[in-house]
């Protein structure tokens, strides 16, 4: 690889200056170099922000339909490149190719659904104070939106921010994760020649670059990532009085009541826990099982984990890819040890893995920990890996109390044959998303939203996200 292989620090390329600093991405299944990217300099960051500010004047005054038509063309371009995109995602993030393809498909479905919401989003009329008067509640774009995204869903998370922000007339500067920028670059490049200049920009780099962007003159910040980073961004945004949407971590519980179909519940929990090797904010990481079926659930889960096929995401048949970053692999290893030291039983897994097709890869065995202690790290901490914790309950009260016994509030599931218990869970589980009798996969038209430590402000995906990207105005016309 030569210096000329370094990919640009910013898009569109606003300067020919050689990059002073670069960073690299590596295939987590093999340890091989995937990409080398420039790190944006402070000057480049200013240029990109000015560029996005300049693009706002024209973009913001177009009609919603015109913007949505152009965005629909952009989505078609992305779809045409779906196969390259899925391979780039798997190379940097590690997930099985089937999951990369599914992520792109879901991203596009959500995005198209959002265009439908955006075409209908706008002013609402209210009765005026006297005959002939009219009152209108207007929504206007905010200006330049900063979007910061993590490494686990390199296509889905950026599109969940870009589409509603752009459709409502904002311009966007995207800062993708430094571990998985390839997909974001392809998405932004696909907009060239479709969206006007200055509408969609990208800045590459890690925390220092992101901090500079957060402190800059932007009009809204949409962040998805970890709680510690979210707190930092929230503090700066609060100081600058910039609206912020924070989509953060989770420690999601699935309650399994005594049910006629334990197998179906265990299948759903296994899929929800181990897709993307558990590196999903909505992964089920705790399963809280009625004491009468606890032993059967443990056996059923151990068997299902044994059936997972670890390996490189690019290999046929792989169902458990590598852990994306070395730091994440260390964190998983450390937290599993801490849970065991604190008394959790190890029912299977608990160690790093070396699949024969990927001897240099970053793999962790699918793991089942057992604890009834809500203070145990396996119960409290977001491990963000292929690790599930099983606990038991004896009454409906205890099930709900245990499910709610963490700081997080992203998603939860309940498997029960009793309608009353399901209804109670829907009103008492303290999570933004609640699933009855299925895993934690969200729909394309529903708000994707966390509460408590899992999120602040409006979530994404559903129609309500459009409100975050717009300001509200009360306009009066006298008769
Ligand atoms: P992270 O917080 O480390 O990084 C996320 C992004 O923030 C990256 O682009 C990173 O460069 C940037 N960043 C790092 N330090 C920063 C700082 N000081 N100021 C501003 N930006 C900074 O998260 P991650 O490890 O990439 O992702 C994993 C986390 O994301 C998990 O906690 C997961 O639950 C969460 N997540 C949440 C959702 C959701 O919708 N709720 C979705 C996906 C992932």
């Amino acid at each position: 690889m030569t210096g000329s292989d370094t990919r640009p620090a910013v898009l569109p390329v606003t300067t020919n200056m050689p990059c002073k600093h670069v960073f690299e991405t590596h295939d987590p299944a093999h340890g091989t170099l995937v990409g080398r990217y420039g790190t944006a300099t402070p000057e480049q960051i200013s240029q990109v922000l000015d560029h996005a500010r300049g693009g706002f004047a024209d973009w913001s005054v177009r009609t919603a339909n015109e913007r949505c038509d152009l965005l629909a063309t952009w989505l078609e371009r992305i779809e045409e490149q779906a196969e390259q995109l899925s391979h780039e995602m798997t190379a940097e993030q590690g997930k099985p190719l089937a999951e990369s393809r599914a992520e792109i498909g879901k991203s596009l479905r959500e995005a198209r659904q959002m265009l439908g919401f955006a075409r209908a989003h706008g002013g609402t009329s209210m009765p005026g104070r006297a005959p002939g008067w009219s009152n209108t509640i207007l929504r206007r774009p905010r200006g330049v939106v900063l979007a910061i995204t993590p490494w686990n869903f390199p296509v889905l998370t950026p599109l969940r921010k870009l589409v509603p922000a752009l459709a409502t007339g904002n311009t966007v500067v995207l800062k993708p994760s430094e571990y998985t920028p390839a997909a974001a670059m392809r998405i932004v490049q696909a907009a060239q020649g479709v969206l006007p200049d200055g509408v969609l920009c990208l800045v590459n780099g890690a925390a220092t670059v992101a901090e500079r962007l957060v402190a800059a003159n932007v009009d809204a910040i949409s962040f998805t990532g970890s709680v510690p980073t979210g707190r930092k961004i929230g503090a700066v945004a609060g100081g600058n009085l910039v609206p912020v949407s924070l989509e953060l971590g989770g420690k999601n519980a699935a309650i399994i009541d005594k049910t006629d179909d334990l197998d179906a519940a265990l299948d759903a929990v296994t899929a929800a826990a181990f897709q993307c090797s558990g590196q999903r904010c909505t992964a089920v990481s705790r399963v809280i099982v009625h004491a009468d079926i606890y032993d059967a659930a443990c056996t059923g889960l151990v068997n299902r984990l044994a059936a997972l096929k670890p390996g490189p995401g690019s290999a046929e048949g792989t169902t458990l890819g590598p852990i994306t970053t070395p730091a994440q692999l260390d964190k998983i290893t450390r937290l599993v040890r801490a849970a065991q030291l604190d008394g959790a039983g190890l029912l299977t897994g608990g160690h790093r893995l070396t699949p024969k097709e990927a001897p240099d890869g970053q793999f962790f065995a699918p793991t089942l920990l057992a604890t009834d202690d809500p203070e145990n790290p396996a119960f409290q901490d977001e491990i963000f890996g292929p690790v599930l914790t099983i606990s038991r309950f004896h009454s409906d009260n205890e099930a709900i109390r245990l499910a709610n016994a963490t700081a997080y509030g992203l998603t939860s599931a309940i498997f029960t044959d009793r309608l009353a218990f399901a209804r109670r869970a829907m009103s008492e589980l303290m999570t933004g998303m609640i699933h009855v009798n299925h895993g934690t996969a969200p729909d394309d038209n529903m708000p994707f939203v966390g509460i408590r430590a899992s999120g602040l402000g409006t979530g994404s995906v559903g129609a309500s996200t459009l409100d975050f990207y717009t300001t509200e105005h009360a306009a009066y016309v006298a008769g």
Side-chain angles (χ1 to χ4, degrees):
M1 191 171 242
T2 66
S4 61
D5 292 326
T6 301
R7 304 188 66 191
V10 296
L11 289 176
V13 181
T14 53
T15 167
N16 291 322
M17 281 191 315
C19 297
K20 273 197 243 147
H21 298 286
V22 296
F23 65 96
E24 292 177 344
T25 59
H26 293 90
D27 180 341
H30 302 292
T32 46
L33 181 65
V34 175
R36 186 178 293 139
Y37 302 83
T39 294
T41 62
E43 297 74 35
Q44 287 173 312
I45 291 173
S46 300
Q47 284 173 340
V48 168
L49 288 168
D50 287 348
H51 202 59
R53 182 71 59 198
F56 181 71
D58 164 59
W59 185 244
S60 57
V61 296
R62 297 193 185 210
T63 64
N65 273 340
E66 190 183 350
R67 287 193 296 258
C68 289
D69 286 347
L70 290 172
L71 292 170
T73 306
W74 171 51
L75 296 177
E76 279 167 23
R77 284 257 191 109
I78 294 173
E79 192 161 37
E80 284 160 14
Q81 300 175 42
E83 200 48 24
Q84 300 98 302
L85 201 48
S86 60
H87 283 271
E88 284 165 353
M89 273 166 72
T90 291
E92 283 189 340
Q93 201 280 339
K95 65 182 69 180
L97 262 177
E99 289 187 26
S100 291
R101 292 181 180 124
E103 177 180 336
I104 295 165
K106 173 157 180 58
S107 308
L108 291 168
R109 286 197 310 274
E110 282 185 0
R112 287 171 174 144
Q113 185 89 38
M114 181 57 72
L115 293 185
F117 290 138
R119 286 180 197 272
H121 186 254
T124 316
S125 292
M126 296 291 281
R129 73 177 71 164
W133 286 54
S134 69
N135 292 350
T136 313
I137 302 167
L138 303 171
R139 308 279 334 179
R140 292 195 206 146
R142 290 189 182 275
V144 176
V145 171
L146 171 61
I148 302 180
T149 53
W151 44 258
N152 57 340
F153 283 89
V155 171
L156 186 83
T157 315
L159 281 183
R160 279 183 179 176
K161 300 180 185 314
L162 304 186
V163 173
L166 295 171
T168 44
N170 303 279
T171 57
V172 179
V173 175
L174 169 65
K175 206 301 281 171
S177 169
E178 61 275 27
Y179 295 103
T180 55
M185 292 195 78
R186 183 175 286 281
I187 287 171
V188 172
Q189 274 162 335
Q192 280 171 14
V194 178
L195 303 182
D197 204 29
V199 166
L200 177 56
C201 308
L202 177 145
V203 171
N204 269 324
T208 311
V209 165
E211 283 170 10
R212 209 162 258 135
L213 285 162
V214 168
N217 176 25
V218 294
D219 301 298
I221 301 173
S222 177
F223 170 77
T224 300
S226 64
V227 171
T229 309
R231 282 189 204 283
K232 286 186 204 163
I233 292 173
V236 176
N240 291 342
L241 297 180
V242 170
V244 67
S245 159
L246 302 176
E247 301 192 342
L248 308 174
K251 188 69 194 174
N252 313 301
I255 295 171
I256 306 185
D257 191 16
K258 280 190 284 188
T259 159
D260 288 342
D261 200 349
L262 180 59
D263 278 334
L266 295 181
D267 285 345
V269 165
T270 305
F274 293 94
Q275 266 168 23
C276 200
S277 294
Q279 303 167 110
R280 294 194 310 137
C281 57
T282 50
V284 167
S285 62
R286 295 178 294 143
V287 56
I288 299 169
V289 178
H290 194 286
D292 290 357
I293 54 165
Y294 179 80
D295 290 339
C298 288
T299 307
L301 284 170
V302 168
N303 291 340
R304 282 166 176 78
L305 270 54
L308 292 171
K309 170 122 181 39
S314 54
E316 193 66 34
T318 292
T319 53
L320 193 83
I323 305 305
T324 306
T325 76
Q328 189 56 33
L329 182 61
D330 287 346
K331 181 180 169 194
I332 295 166
T333 311
R334 182 168 42 78
L335 282 173
V336 169
R337 292 284 164 277
Q340 288 179 264
L341 286 173
D342 233 25
L346 181 65
L347 302 189
T348 186
H351 54 85
R352 296 186 185 197
L353 269 187
T354 313
K356 69 174 183 320
E357 314 89 324
D360 300 318
Q362 298 156 190
F363 289 86
F364 200 85
T367 297
L368 185 63
L369 293 167
T371 180
D372 292 337
D373 173 12
E375 301 303 317
N376 189 284
F379 203 95
Q380 289 296 333
D381 295 339
E382 186 188 44
I383 298 176
F384 219 56
V387 180
L388 181 62
T389 301
I390 187 163
S391 315
R392 73 193 104 190
F393 72 88
H394 303 85
S395 67
D396 295 1
N397 282 348
E398 190 185 18
I400 301 274
R401 182 175 55 74
L402 287 173
N404 286 338
T406 77
Y408 292 100
L410 191 55
T411 189
S412 54
I414 178 165
F415 295 85
T416 182
D417 301 335
R418 292 182 292 137
L419 187 59
F421 193 21
R423 284 196 193 286
R424 184 174 168 197
M426 282 168 64
S427 65
E428 293 184 27
L429 286 175
M430 294 195 289
T431 54
M433 293 170 279
I434 301 159
H435 300 258
V436 177
N437 288 335
H438 62 95
T440 52
D443 275 0
D444 306 331
N445 60 354
M446 289 283 280
F448 188 91
V449 58
I451 59 171
R452 305 164 81 212
S454 293
L456 187 70
T458 319
S460 51
V461 185
S464 53
T465 196
L466 297 166
D467 289 347
F468 172 72
Y469 294 104
T470 50
T471 49
E472 187 177 48
H473 306 263
Y476 303 87
V477 180

